[in-house]
Amino acid sequence: MVERPSMTCPQCGRRLHEGETCPCESFDVRDLLARLELAPEQSDRRQYFEEIRGLGPRALPALLAALDETVHHPWYYFRNVIAILGELGSLEEDDRERAVRRLGQYLLLGERRQLVIAAIHSIARLGGPVAEEVLVAPLHRKPGRAEGARKADSEVLSPLELGTKLVEGLCLVGTHGAVGEVLAIGLGKGAALTRRGDVLRQTALEQLANLDLDAFPAARDELRRQIEDRVLDPSFSLRRMFFGRNARLDAALVGTLRLTRNPGVTDLYQKLLEPGLPPAIRESARQILAERAAVKPKAAAEPNPTAGG
């Protein structure tokens, strides 16, 4: 079979067979984006947003091209494009990677905070291994002098704020690798941005508490070991290890397993009620046990007396 000659779309760069019409030429996303930018009413803006989003993957080439436009647009024009990219639904793997890597260019300190936050959210929604890779990379980058000098600028994210948003995004991605990275940050390991203090570690632990860690048994079991070693070990009061005397970190660590249903975790929380432990830890354990007791298991379906004739 003879392969048809190919050509490249001048607008989006997609490879096409001779005579084939590129999807990006079958509608004018740029016109809808212009209407979205200029619409005075929120209801109109929502309508145009939904029209573009409804085009799904077909809108991708034009949206990516819009991010590279040299024509001046207000910042919210680009925020809209970024937000729509995260709403396109199921993309082919190559298209997903293109979108995620392009959005990843916004994860640089110095970009306007609204664009960075929108990019993180859209990357997380697109998901997949590439999203994990792109969100993890800034956490391991050492901030430069220029980044530190701009930390007081209200229009940009500080390194700590960026780290917090990246942690939230990784939890939304929800892969084993992403959750493992958040776990490492919560335990004070690895990432350069975690050296900014306990705030990011506490954020990571609190985000883990929002996940059902039974779906991530390696992370669940590691957290259980950490609680046993750092809280229940008799020498804990002398060593304190990474957590020092930060009661909030202690309580956040204890709270990470709140959504698990593993029987061993319930036993662990019972041990954390012992009077000799810090009040913050005991109170956290008490609240979690009360929550677990309030969640009743689903009752088995009763037989239908009318079934079977």
Side-chain angles (χ1 to χ4, degrees):
M1 180 177 180
V2 179
E3 185 177 352
R4 290 183 295 168
S6 62
M7 57 180 291
T8 300
C9 172
Q11 178 173 321
C12 71
R14 184 187 293 269
R15 186 180 178 186
L16 304 169
H17 292 296
E18 185 178 22
E20 181 182 3
T21 301
C22 183
C24 76
E25 295 178 350
S26 62
F27 52 85
D28 194 353
V29 174
R30 289 172 298 179
D31 178 64
L32 288 172
L33 285 171
R35 293 170 183 267
L36 175 61
E37 177 184 346
L38 299 174
E41 301 294 334
Q42 183 177 2
S43 59
D44 293 333
R45 293 194 295 272
R46 171 52 60 182
Q47 175 186 340
Y48 295 131
F49 185 100
E50 291 297 333
E51 284 185 28
I52 301 171
R53 186 180 71 85
L55 294 169
R58 293 183 300 155
L60 179 64
L63 290 170
L64 292 178
L67 293 180
D68 295 324
E69 287 183 4
T70 57
V71 179
H72 174 73
H73 291 287
W75 63 266
Y76 53 82
Y77 171 88
F78 296 102
R79 184 197 58 191
N80 290 335
V81 175
I82 292 169
I84 295 169
L85 282 168
E87 299 276 350
L88 290 184
S90 299
L91 295 175
E92 296 291 336
E93 198 57 39
D94 288 348
D95 287 340
R96 183 200 307 272
E97 181 169 351
R98 287 173 60 209
V100 167
R101 293 199 183 281
R102 179 61 185 86
L103 291 171
Q105 295 177 26
Y106 285 93
L107 308 189
L108 302 172
L109 295 175
E111 294 283 359
R112 180 180 282 270
R113 63 190 301 120
Q114 293 94 334
L115 301 184
V116 176
I117 293 171
I120 291 173
H121 185 73
S122 287
I123 290 169
R125 287 186 65 86
L126 289 168
V130 177
E132 175 191 327
E133 173 192 333
V134 169
L135 293 178
V136 165
L139 288 166
H140 293 276
R141 186 184 69 243
K142 294 182 179 179
R145 292 182 179 179
E147 294 170 352
R150 297 195 63 183
K151 66 181 180 181
D153 189 339
S154 62
E155 291 189 355
V156 301
L157 294 174
S158 71
L160 180 57
E161 289 174 320
L162 175 61
T164 298
K165 294 299 179 183
L166 290 168
V167 164
E168 293 172 356
L170 284 167
C171 284
L172 185 59
V173 171
T175 60
H176 286 274
V179 171
E181 185 71 26
V182 175
L183 173 63
I185 293 170
L187 298 179
K189 301 176 182 178
L193 285 174
T194 63
R195 300 193 184 104
R196 309 225 167 242
D198 291 341
V199 176
L200 188 56
R201 296 178 195 166
Q202 183 177 340
T203 297
L205 294 172
E206 290 172 347
Q207 287 294 313
L208 289 171
N210 295 324
L211 299 177
D212 180 0
L213 291 176
D214 285 333
F216 306 94
R220 179 197 64 201
D221 294 344
E222 175 62 19
L223 284 165
R224 181 176 174 180
R225 283 192 294 270
Q226 292 291 333
I227 293 172
E228 291 171 342
D229 291 345
R230 299 183 186 219
V231 181
L232 292 176
D233 191 307
S235 62
F236 177 68
S237 59
L238 299 176
R239 319 190 258 116
R240 304 298 286 183
M241 297 179 68
F242 254 102
F243 287 90
R245 297 186 178 183
N246 190 325
R248 290 183 178 179
L249 269 180
D250 296 342
L253 175 63
V254 168
T256 54
L257 299 178
R258 68 188 317 128
L259 296 182
T260 69
R261 289 290 167 253
N262 187 290
V265 172
T266 300
D267 295 339
L268 175 62
Y269 282 136
Q270 291 288 353
K271 295 177 182 177
L272 294 174
L273 296 175
E274 295 179 4
L277 294 174
I281 290 176
R282 288 187 285 121
E283 177 60 20
S284 181
R286 186 195 66 76
Q287 291 180 1
I288 292 168
L289 285 170
E291 291 172 4
R292 293 165 78 86
V295 178
K296 298 180 180 179
K298 293 182 179 180
E302 296 183 1
N304 186 346
T306 62

